[in-house]
Amino acid sequence: MKTNSNSGNFSRRNFIKGCATTTTIAGVSTFLLPGCSGSLSYGHKSVVNKDSTILFQGDSITDAGRDKRREGNVNDASALGRGYVYLIAAKLLADRAGDGLQIYNRGISGNKVFQLAERWDKDCLDLKPDVLSILIGVNDIWHTLNGNYDGTVEKYEADYRALLARTRRELPDLRLVICEPFALRCGAVNERWFPEFDRYRAAAEKMSHEFNAVFVPFQSMFDKATKLARPAHWAADGVHPTAAGASLMAEEWLRIVT
């Protein structure tokens, strides 16, 4: 069915407005997020300071087709992939052009938490990030459901806790961002995922509290978005975001983290 483009734009504006209301603090107009807030929102001090090195870690959602041959090049467009990380980096590097930000993407498709740990020295600790953003968890359940991994939510939580504890020991001043794993009911995602997947989401949020991290609630964001358009509009297979889904992820991350 053909839709009116003006109507679609109006709906999306209403969605964004539903997640953010303006207020004024110390004379500066800022955003508060009663419906979509995580641990931080506009009105709090930004996690991203001047001259920060920002590292994004995770699986294919973070990887998003990045050119791994160029991963050592800071702020390199092809090394940042084609997903939410690229959109976040583009916005930060444009809006804060004089702040000397250095942004890396080291997501790898298919990774589970234990696989992050196996490459953590090279792909995290050696980079000495000031800000570390992690989105991990969907493969820990997906690969279990398809028989390629013997995983449980208890294993996911234990592996995640061990990884974050190690990271805190090595980088005590690190500002940590934990993103909520998400799944939309379409494509590869069926009822077999639930309610078990909700326990993985809860474990990620639990880790954010234990390690004093900013939490970015992607699932609740997408739950609201599916009231505007079908789930496949945001993630065609239920897991990997479309351009529209990546855009929402970038907006949510920037609202809460910066």
Side-chain angles (χ1 to χ4, degrees):
M1 184 174 72
K2 195 171 182 180
T3 58
N4 182 286
S5 60
N6 290 334
S7 174
N9 290 338
F10 177 75
S11 296
R12 190 170 186 282
R13 285 198 300 271
N14 282 350
F15 170 71
I16 298 300
K17 287 178 181 177
C19 293
T21 56
T22 57
T23 188
T24 302
I25 299 176
V28 179
S29 181
T30 60
F31 281 96
L32 299 176
L33 305 169
C36 301
S37 61
S39 299
L40 291 179
S41 65
Y42 279 55
H44 293 262
K45 182 179 179 182
S46 174
V47 171
V48 180
N49 297 334
K50 190 173 182 180
D51 297 318
S52 286
T53 295
I54 307 166
L55 172 63
F56 290 89
Q57 272 288 0
D59 51 38
S60 56
I61 300 170
T62 299
D63 183 331
R66 69 184 178 90
D67 187 346
K68 297 174 181 61
R69 297 167 301 178
R70 301 175 65 89
E71 67 181 16
N73 298 343
V74 67
N75 301 339
D76 186 301
S78 60
L80 292 170
R82 300 185 298 272
Y84 78 98
V85 174
Y86 174 83
L87 296 175
I88 290 168
K91 182 67 172 170
L92 285 174
L93 292 171
D95 288 355
R96 301 178 58 172
D99 280 1
L101 302 180
Q102 300 184 77
I103 305 175
Y104 295 95
N105 182 353
R106 292 293 172 89
I108 293 185
S109 180
N111 267 194
K112 296 170 277 294
V113 176
F114 82 88
Q115 291 165 313
L116 293 187
E118 290 175 346
R119 59 185 180 85
W120 211 236
D121 283 339
K122 171 182 175 291
D123 284 343
C124 178
L125 302 180
D126 289 353
L127 293 172
K128 299 189 184 328
D130 301 293
V131 179
L132 169 63
S133 179
I134 306 175
L135 172 57
I136 197 74
V138 72
N139 290 319
D140 293 77
I141 184 170
W142 195 359
H143 292 183
T144 297
L145 291 172
N146 65 22
N148 292 326
Y149 178 57
D150 183 22
T152 64
V153 68
E154 290 79 14
K155 184 181 293 187
Y156 170 74
E157 183 175 321
D159 288 351
Y160 213 160
R161 181 178 289 108
L163 181 71
L164 295 175
R166 173 185 172 193
T167 307
R168 280 288 189 215
R169 285 194 302 270
E170 296 290 331
L171 302 169
D173 297 325
L174 178 73
R175 298 182 291 282
L176 181 62
V177 179
I178 293 180
C179 299
E180 181 183 30
F182 61 88
L184 284 73
R185 284 174 164 83
C186 63
V189 179
N190 54 41
E191 290 308 313
R192 292 178 60 219
W193 286 58
F194 305 96
E196 189 66 7
F197 183 63
D198 297 329
R199 299 179 63 208
Y200 284 80
R201 292 171 42 224
E205 184 170 11
K206 180 180 180 182
M207 293 302 98
S208 74
H209 295 305
E210 285 190 20
F211 290 90
N212 193 29
V214 177
F215 182 70
V216 182
F218 283 141
Q219 184 69 62
S220 58
M221 178 201 74
F222 277 120
D223 288 345
K224 291 178 175 65
T226 57
K227 292 178 172 60
L228 294 182
R230 68 191 190 284
H233 178 78
W234 307 109
D237 65 358
V239 171
H240 298 96
T242 60
S247 178
L248 285 188
M249 291 176 69
E251 289 175 358
E252 183 78 340
W253 194 96
L254 288 163
R255 277 191 206 102
I256 292 172
V257 176
T258 63

